[in-house]
């Protein structure tokens, strides 16, 4: 049995599919596509699937993947890309099916793009961020609450161009920071509304440099 | 190192205003469309824009098979583009209103106001305020007479059309019966009218000539001083009686094999195959059992191949054999056998809703449990044999006991029973019978030798309030008053002694309003409008239901709702729906009602024909000659 990695993007309307719903959508598309995937052996057999980094609702991404298992002997699974795309909702586009080159837990960094229609407001917000000595935001989870200095977390932040900035944050199972934190800073200190933001995950990396 | 090649970013939701609205609401995936199976067309090449409107949430609407059938049929027409619209949940409706963003169809995101036709489905009386809310959200005037030549045509279909008189003044046309052939014909008529620029009034007159099309504005209703209806008179060549449309070749008509597959959890999210239509049982309270007559079934081979196609196109992991009474399909076991040949290898479950106690056999139980063991659900409807005879629910205590014993032996440990209270001729004795039936099932479980050990038994009884419905033998009956229903509920609770038995009720106030609108007439329209304006919507949702607001609206209009719900209809009284013909004759309903009062049974249609009149709707033979023994012989 071997692992297969399915690379896809999740954009446009597909940004509104939650992670839980995505699992069902992907399973159904896999069944339609005919890709010979392996089912778990339990009482209710289901397709073995492991998603890379869960993507928050409303975020778009060009860098998603899901791993499945197969018993098939063949090496080349590219013939299943087209049927899979036909079965998937628009906004989810598979680019490649191939054996993985790294394990999901090796991911340490992700690159994001942030776009605001209000170009001057974004420029001003980035200026405020750059000029501040520190950039404290509160990270809340279901149980915990933690104050974080974005300045120490952010790995890179490019200059705004046409209402767009690109930046990198630590990502992965060990140390993950959501781009929503930067939006929170922009909301609290610059009055930009998070609901007007367009966030796209552009890339993931296995090294921090 | 980076791992992804550059992919162009696609944007389907271009409108930034909509985007920020969606960021503020719960489960925004309900409002975006884009599901697998969605149909997109070039609007410039589809001259007729049709929005199928479901006046309840996305989750409820996307479970509805009728929408999938008609979506498929309409989109197969080149010059029609059928899209979907649902009632947005309260947070979304408020956002749309606040931002003055019109309610839109999911596929094109175009405002419903820009469509040619809005087709609402009337599944439930308490979704009526949602219809007004949906019209309001896109700025379309509520009253038909206030809509101009360019406003969309607002039409309705679905089971409630057999009496949707309370909505008559809001709709341009209502479609009685089955839409598979009728709706395309209506669309062709509208396309023709559009091409030749016919005035709306002329179009409506033309539509009224199509079988099953009811144009309310072409009928005058007059009233007696008593408040009863005096006469309903057709004008402008409209037929005196509108007879429902039926799909003539239901047997050979392939079930829909492509679905729009919802991504945000629908209530029933599975491949549905309609195995038969109508019901041969004739339970006297059941509207569906009368308005979908005559009973017709599809051959096992067609059903099996359609199920295969549907699973291949949708990727569903569960098939539901859908109908009013699936175990009445004469080829059910051969069908299950052929389905099991391929479903098991493909990890597909089979679900069989609406099984009956009396023909639930051992081999059937085994076949169902082969795929998945869920709880067992039965609907005895009444607690005593006498009352079951009154309602013509042809099942006996022995059958209930036998089936439960069989199920327990097969490993089931949970039973759910559906009952009604407030049925005609009901006494406290019958209420006690509900508790006794449940207790007997508990006793059977513990006396079953080879029951599943180590798991406790759960018996749930769900008790609805009886609502008299038009086009049934009980249309003449009054509903129990709310006070009586509450007394009966309290008495039932006092009769249930065992902790294994749990009881749940329906809200009797909701049932009361349901009865008012089920048997209502045109004078209720202002009440519905007032209630909508006063904030009523999602009335069928317990937590949204504003009973006192409704009562204030009745008072405001000077209407006593008890006139509709709690009054016995007089012999020969002109009912608000007397011009709407579902195929079953008035005389038959009257005769069935009289038999009910004497607790006399009427056998199912496949045993002998009771002469209801519905077989005349179809070109082919009589329903009872058609199926069972004959078909079984072939198999």
């Amino acid at each position: 049995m071997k692992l297969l990695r399915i690379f896809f993007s999740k954009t446009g309307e597909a940004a509104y599919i939650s992670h839980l719903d995505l699992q069902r959508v992907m399973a159904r598309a896999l069944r339609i596509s005919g890709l010979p995937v392996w089912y778990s052996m339990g009482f209710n057999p289901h397709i073995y699937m492991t998603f890379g980094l869960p993507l928050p609702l409303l975020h778009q991404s060009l860098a998603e993947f899901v791993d499945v298992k197969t018993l098939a002997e063949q090496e080349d699974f590219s013939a299943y890309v087209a049927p899979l795309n036909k079965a998937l909702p628009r906004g989810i586009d598979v680019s490649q099916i191939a054996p993985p080159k790294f394990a999901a837990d090796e991911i340490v960094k992700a690159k994001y793009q942030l776009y605001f229609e209000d170009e001057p407001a974004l420029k001003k917000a980035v200026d405020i961020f750059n000029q501040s000595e520190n950039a404290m935001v509160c990270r809340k989870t279901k149980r915990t609450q933690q104050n974080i200095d974005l300045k120490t977390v952010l790995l890179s932040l490019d200059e705004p161009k046409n209402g767009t900035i690109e930046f990198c944050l630590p990502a992965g199972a060990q140390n993950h920071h959501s781009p929503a934190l930067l939006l929170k800073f922009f909301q609290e200190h610059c009055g930009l509304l998070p609901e007007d933001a367009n966030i796209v995950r552009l890339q993931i990396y296995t090294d921090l440099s | 190192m980076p791992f992804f090649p550059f992919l162009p970013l696609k944007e389907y939701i271009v409108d930034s205003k909509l985007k920020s609205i969606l960021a503020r609401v719960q489960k925004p995936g309900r409002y975006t469309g884009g599901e697998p199976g969605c149909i997109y067309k070039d609007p410039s090449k589809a001259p007729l824009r049709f929005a199928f409107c479901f006046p309840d949430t996305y989750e409820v609407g996307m479970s509805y098979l009728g929408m999938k059938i008609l979506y498929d049929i309409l989109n197969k027409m080149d010059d029609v583009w059928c899209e979907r619209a649902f009632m947005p949940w309260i947070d979304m409706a408020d956002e749309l209103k606040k931002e003055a963003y019109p309610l839109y169809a999911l596929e094109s995101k175009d405002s419903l106001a820009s469509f040619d036709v809005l087709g609402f489905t009337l599944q439930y009386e308490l979704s009526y305020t949602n219809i007004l809310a949906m019209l309001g959200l896109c700025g379309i005037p509520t009253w038909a007479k206030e809509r101009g030549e360019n406003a969309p045509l607002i039409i309705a279909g679905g089971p409630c059309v057999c009496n949707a008189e309370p909505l008559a003044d809001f709709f341009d046309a209502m479609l009685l019966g089955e839409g598979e052939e009728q709706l395309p014909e209506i669309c062709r008529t509208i396309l023709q009218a559009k091409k030749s620029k016919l005035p709306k009034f002329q179009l409506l007159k033309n539509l009224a000539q199509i079988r099953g099309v009811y144009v309310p504005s072409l009928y005058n209703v007059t009233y007696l001083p008593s408040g009863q209806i005096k006469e309903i008179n057709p004008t402008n060549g409209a037929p005196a009686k509108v007879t429902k449309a039926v799909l003539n070749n239901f047997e050979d008509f392939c079930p829909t094999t492509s679905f729009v597959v919802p991504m945000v959890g629908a209530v029933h999210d599975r491949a549905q195959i309609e195995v038969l239509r109508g019901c041969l049982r004739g339970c006297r309270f059941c509207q569906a059992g009368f308005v979908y007559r005559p009973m017709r079934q599809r051959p096992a081979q067609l059903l099996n191949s359609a199920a295969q196609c549907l699973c291949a196109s949708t990727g569903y992991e569960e098939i539901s054999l859908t109908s009013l009474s699936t175990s009445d399909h004469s080829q059910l076991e051969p069908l299950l056998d052929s389905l099991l040949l391929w479903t098991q290898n493909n990890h597909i479950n089979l679900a069989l809703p609406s099984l009956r106690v009396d023909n639930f056999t051992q081999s059937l139980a085994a076949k169902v449990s082969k795929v998945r063991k869920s709880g067992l659900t039965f609907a005895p409807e009444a607690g005593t044999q006498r009352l079951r005879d009154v309602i013509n629910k042809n099942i006996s205590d022995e059958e209930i006991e036998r089936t439960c014993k069989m199920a327990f032996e097969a490993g089931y440990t949970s039973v759910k029973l559906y009952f009604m209270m407030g049925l005609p001729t009901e006494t406290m004795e019958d209420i006690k019978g509900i508790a006794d039936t449940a207790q007997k099932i508990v006793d059977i479980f513990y006396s079953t030798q080879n029951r599943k050990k180590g798991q406790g038994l759960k018996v749930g009884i769900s008790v609805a309030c009886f609502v008299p419905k038009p086009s049934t033998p009980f249309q003449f009956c009054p509903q129990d008053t709310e006070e009586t229903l509450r007394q009966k509920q309290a008495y039932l609770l006092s009769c249930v002694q065992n902790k294994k038995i749990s009881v749940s009720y329906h809200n009797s106030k909701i049932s009361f309003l349901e009865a008012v609108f089920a048997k209502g007439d045109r004078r209720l329209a202002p009440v519905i409008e007032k209630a909508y304006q006063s904030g009523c919507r999602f009335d069928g949702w317990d937590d949204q239901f504003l009973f006192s607001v409704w009562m204030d609206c009745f008072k405001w209009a000077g209407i006593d709702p008890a006139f509709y719900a709690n009054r016995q209809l007089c012999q020969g009284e002109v009912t608000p729906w007397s011009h709407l013909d579902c195929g079953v004759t008035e005389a038959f309903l009257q005769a069935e009602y009289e038999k009910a009062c004497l607790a006399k049974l009427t056998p199912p249609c496949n045993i002998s024909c009771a002469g209801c009149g519905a077989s005349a709707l179809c070109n082919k033979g009589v329903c009872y000659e058609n199926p069972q023994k004959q078909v079984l012989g072939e198999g």
Side-chain angles (χ1 to χ4, degrees):
Chain A
M1 184 145 38
K2 61 185 162 203
L3 270 180
L4 282 181
R5 181 158 294 174
I6 300 168
F7 295 86
F8 62 95
S9 61
K10 189 164 175 276
T11 61
E13 283 161 355
Y16 297 91
I17 305 169
S18 71
H19 187 65
L20 197 70
D21 292 332
L22 176 65
Q23 299 185 18
R24 195 175 44 227
V25 169
M26 188 58 77
R28 286 176 181 164
L30 285 167
R31 300 164 69 91
I32 299 170
S33 75
L35 185 70
V37 290
W38 182 80
Y39 281 74
S40 72
M41 308 293 273
F43 184 72
N44 265 324
H46 58 271
I47 299 175
Y48 171 92
M49 277 188 299
T50 313
F51 284 84
L53 282 179
L55 187 70
L57 197 68
L58 308 184
H59 291 195
Q60 303 179 73
S61 174
L62 304 182
E64 295 300 291
F65 68 83
V66 57
D67 291 342
V68 296
K69 288 180 178 174
T70 185
L71 291 167
E73 304 272 307
Q74 72 206 75
E75 293 295 317
D76 183 9
F77 292 87
S78 54
Y80 293 101
V81 171
L84 199 49
N85 275 329
K86 200 165 161 258
L88 283 163
R90 64 180 194 180
I92 298 183
D93 295 285
V94 171
S95 55
Q96 201 183 24
I97 305 174
K101 294 201 174 73
F102 61 93
D105 60 8
E106 287 176 48
I107 299 168
V108 290
K109 182 173 96 169
K111 186 183 198 177
Y112 303 91
Q113 184 192 65
L114 174 60
Y115 166 75
F116 274 98
E117 213 163 80
D118 190 347
E119 199 182 327
L122 178 70
K123 203 165 166 16
K124 204 173 136 220
V126 174
D127 283 346
I128 292 174
F129 180 85
N130 284 333
Q131 283 153 20
S132 327
E133 203 156 300
N134 54 28
M136 301 305 289
V137 284
C138 182
R139 178 160 86 164
K140 278 185 201 157
T141 64
K142 267 181 197 138
R143 265 162 289 146
T144 61
Q145 199 166 319
Q146 195 187 354
N147 281 318
I148 289 176
D149 184 359
L150 271 178
K151 290 262 176 176
T152 64
V153 171
L154 211 61
L155 299 169
S156 72
L157 174 63
D158 295 356
E159 280 303 304
K161 234 186 293 170
N162 307 325
T164 302
I165 49 169
E166 291 187 359
F167 57 94
C168 288
L169 279 168
Q174 301 304 321
N175 181 25
H176 188 86
H177 286 88
S178 167
L181 291 174
L182 188 60
L183 287 183
K184 203 166 177 196
F185 180 87
F186 285 169
Q187 179 179 23
E188 285 166 5
H189 298 273
C190 325
L192 279 176
L193 289 177
E195 63 224 47
D196 293 333
N198 291 273
I199 291 192
V200 187
R201 183 148 73 203
L202 295 176
Q203 198 60 261
I204 51 172
Y205 305 85
T206 54
D207 52 33
L208 284 172
S209 53
Chain B
M1 57 175 275
F3 290 101
F4 287 89
F6 175 76
L7 288 167
L9 194 57
K10 286 189 192 162
E11 272 292 350
Y12 298 109
I13 297 171
V14 279
D15 194 306
S16 59
K17 200 166 173 185
L18 177 57
K19 205 164 181 165
S20 74
I21 290 173
L22 290 175
R24 291 194 294 266
V25 298
Q26 292 288 310
K27 293 199 232 164
R30 298 181 280 186
Y31 313 117
T32 56
E35 306 93 325
C38 260
I39 305 285
Y40 298 97
K41 292 190 181 183
D42 177 354
S44 67
K45 286 178 190 136
L48 187 76
R49 299 283 300 272
F50 189 107
F52 194 108
C53 301
F54 195 94
D56 208 312
T57 61
Y58 176 88
E59 290 91 325
V60 178
M62 283 304 289
S63 308
Y64 172 50
L65 180 60
M67 174 186 258
K68 296 170 198 284
I69 296 172
L70 296 174
Y71 186 84
D72 185 44
I73 288 177
L74 288 179
N75 279 320
K76 279 186 180 140
M77 298 173 74
D78 285 337
D79 35 17
V80 178
W81 184 12
C82 175
E83 304 181 45
R84 297 161 299 145
F86 302 88
M87 175 67 188
W89 188 246
I90 288 157
D91 59 344
M92 180 65 171
D94 288 348
E95 282 288 341
L96 291 173
K97 211 184 284 174
K98 198 179 84 200
E99 301 288 334
Y101 198 95
L103 183 63
Y104 54 88
L106 294 188
E107 282 80 355
S108 65
K109 316 278 185 303
D110 288 336
S111 163
L112 292 183
S114 68
F115 276 71
D116 296 298
V117 186
L118 304 190
F120 283 89
T121 176
L122 309 183
Q123 298 290 314
Y124 182 40
E125 292 84 0
L126 296 195
S127 63
Y128 290 175
T129 49
N130 282 359
I131 296 170
L132 303 200
M134 287 174 79
L135 293 177
L137 281 171
C138 51
I140 297 173
T142 305
W143 298 82
K145 59 172 188 266
E146 287 171 9
R147 291 192 291 266
E149 287 290 317
N150 294 321
L153 209 62
I154 313 290
I155 64 176
C160 289
V161 169
C162 70
N163 178 38
E165 282 299 277
L167 299 178
D169 292 327
F170 303 141
F171 280 92
D172 295 305
M174 295 188 184
L175 322 180
L176 194 60
E178 299 166 2
E180 282 98 338
E181 290 170 340
Q182 177 201 39
L183 200 50
E185 191 181 347
I186 287 164
C187 287
R188 283 191 291 273
T189 309
I190 297 171
L191 275 164
Q192 194 60 46
K194 233 185 135 172
K195 214 190 246 166
S196 50
K197 298 199 168 60
L198 276 192
K200 193 187 254 185
F201 182 65
Q202 185 58 46
L203 167 63
L204 291 177
K205 280 200 293 185
N206 292 353
L207 287 174
Q209 301 306 317
I210 299 174
R211 164 94 173 261
V213 178
Y214 168 48
V215 178
S217 59
L218 299 182
Y219 295 78
N220 288 328
V221 184
T222 52
Y223 302 93
L224 295 165
S226 64
Q228 289 155 302
I229 289 171
K230 185 170 177 238
E231 279 173 334
I232 301 172
N233 290 316
T235 64
N236 294 287
K241 255 195 192 278
V242 180
T243 304
K244 83 162 184 185
V246 287
L247 176 60
N248 258 322
N249 61 338
F250 175 84
E251 291 86 348
D252 320 314
F253 195 91
C254 185
T256 308
T257 54
S258 58
F259 276 18
V260 180
V261 180
M263 297 190 284
V264 177
V267 182
H268 296 296
D269 191 10
R270 52 195 184 188
Q272 298 174 63
I273 293 286
E274 189 189 17
V275 297
L276 59 87
R277 191 171 290 179
C279 180
L280 42 79
R281 296 286 166 170
C283 302
R284 291 175 180 132
F285 57 85
C286 176
Q287 192 180 39
F290 287 91
V291 303
Y292 290 114
R293 286 186 176 212
M295 191 274 217
R296 291 145 287 161
Q297 67 172 28
R298 288 177 169 139
Q301 212 182 349
L302 176 66
L303 294 169
N304 182 50
S305 63
Q308 223 159 347
C309 289
L310 184 56
C311 285
S313 76
T314 58
Y316 270 126
E317 54 296 288
E318 184 168 84
I319 301 173
S320 158
L321 299 180
T322 308
S323 77
L324 291 172
S325 182
T326 297
S327 52
D328 279 332
H329 195 289
S330 65
Q331 292 176 296
L332 183 59
E333 294 211 24
L335 171 61
L336 287 174
D337 287 336
S338 51
L339 287 168
L340 286 169
L341 281 180
W342 58 273
T343 52
Q344 281 184 311
N345 293 337
N346 288 293
H347 308 284
I348 295 169
N349 290 321
L350 285 184
L352 285 166
S354 49
L355 289 182
R356 287 182 55 92
V357 180
D358 52 355
N359 52 15
F360 188 83
T361 63
Q362 210 134 20
S363 64
L364 190 59
K367 274 167 196 150
V368 180
S369 67
K370 211 181 256 177
V371 272
R372 189 199 249 176
K373 200 156 290 162
S374 54
L376 194 67
T377 307
F378 288 127
E381 309 291 4
T384 60
Q385 192 63 57
R386 183 199 69 83
L387 194 54
R388 277 200 296 274
D389 290 347
V390 168
I391 63 177
N392 203 39
K393 187 88 191 179
N394 287 323
I395 56 172
S396 64
D397 284 336
E398 293 74 43
E399 279 166 337
I400 296 173
E401 286 164 27
R402 185 180 61 90
T403 308
C404 286
K405 197 167 164 48
M406 214 156 64
F408 294 147
E409 278 169 354
Y412 287 88
T413 56
S414 143
V415 180
K416 201 166 175 195
L417 300 165
Y418 287 99
F419 291 97
M420 259 187 281
M421 62 171 49
L423 287 162
T425 76
E426 184 177 77
T427 63
M428 286 303 185
E429 190 76 9
D430 300 304
I431 300 296
K432 185 168 178 295
I434 296 176
D436 292 345
T437 307
Q439 181 57 47
K440 214 179 302 167
I441 289 172
V442 175
D443 297 342
I444 291 170
F445 180 77
Y446 287 104
S447 67
T448 303
Q449 293 294 322
N450 35 3
R451 66 176 191 266
K452 193 172 175 187
K453 301 281 158 59
Q455 208 170 339
L457 168 74
K458 272 190 279 184
V459 177
I461 51 183
S462 169
V463 189
C465 305
F466 165 69
V467 178
K469 295 270 171 141
S471 300
T472 68
F474 288 163
Q475 65 177 10
F476 309 100
C477 303
Q479 187 182 40
D480 267 356
T481 60
E482 220 204 301
E483 202 192 332
T484 312
L485 286 170
R486 267 205 310 271
Q487 281 168 5
K488 287 179 175 174
Q489 288 179 344
Y491 179 63
L492 174 63
L493 269 192
S494 76
C495 293
V496 174
Q497 307 286 343
N498 199 310
K499 284 208 175 78
K500 305 273 179 212
I501 303 170
S502 63
V503 185
S504 65
Y505 293 128
H506 279 202
N507 183 337
S508 58
K509 291 186 165 77
I510 289 185
S511 304
F512 171 69
L513 210 62
E514 220 181 294
V516 172
F517 289 115
K519 289 171 70 175
D521 60 38
R522 293 183 177 195
R523 291 169 293 185
L524 292 176
V527 181
I528 297 172
E529 190 192 32
K530 183 76 174 170
Y532 155 64
Q533 289 166 346
S534 314
C536 291
R537 50 193 167 168
F538 288 109
D539 299 302
W541 294 65
D542 250 315
D543 54 341
Q544 302 295 329
F545 184 52
L546 304 171
F547 186 67
S548 61
V549 174
W550 271 106
M551 290 307 110
D552 290 344
C553 295
F554 282 111
K555 203 177 276 173
W556 164 85
I559 286 174
D560 176 15
F563 174 83
Y564 297 100
N566 307 122
R567 183 175 64 90
Q568 171 91 32
L569 296 192
C570 305
Q571 187 105 42
E573 177 171 341
V574 179
T575 58
W577 56 92
S578 54
H579 54 314
L580 303 172
D581 174 14
C582 291
V584 176
T585 63
E586 191 80 8
F588 177 74
L589 295 179
Q590 182 71 41
E592 275 292 294
Y593 177 52
E594 284 159 17
K595 277 172 91 175
C597 297
L598 301 170
K600 276 194 179 156
L601 290 173
T602 299
C605 309
N606 60 340
I607 305 295
S608 77
C609 179
C612 71
S615 66
L617 293 168
C618 286
N619 295 337
K620 289 177 211 157
V622 198
C623 348
Y624 74 94
E625 280 181 351
N626 185 10
Q628 210 134 6
K629 286 159 211 145
Q630 217 179 316
V631 181
L632 273 181
E634 284 169 19

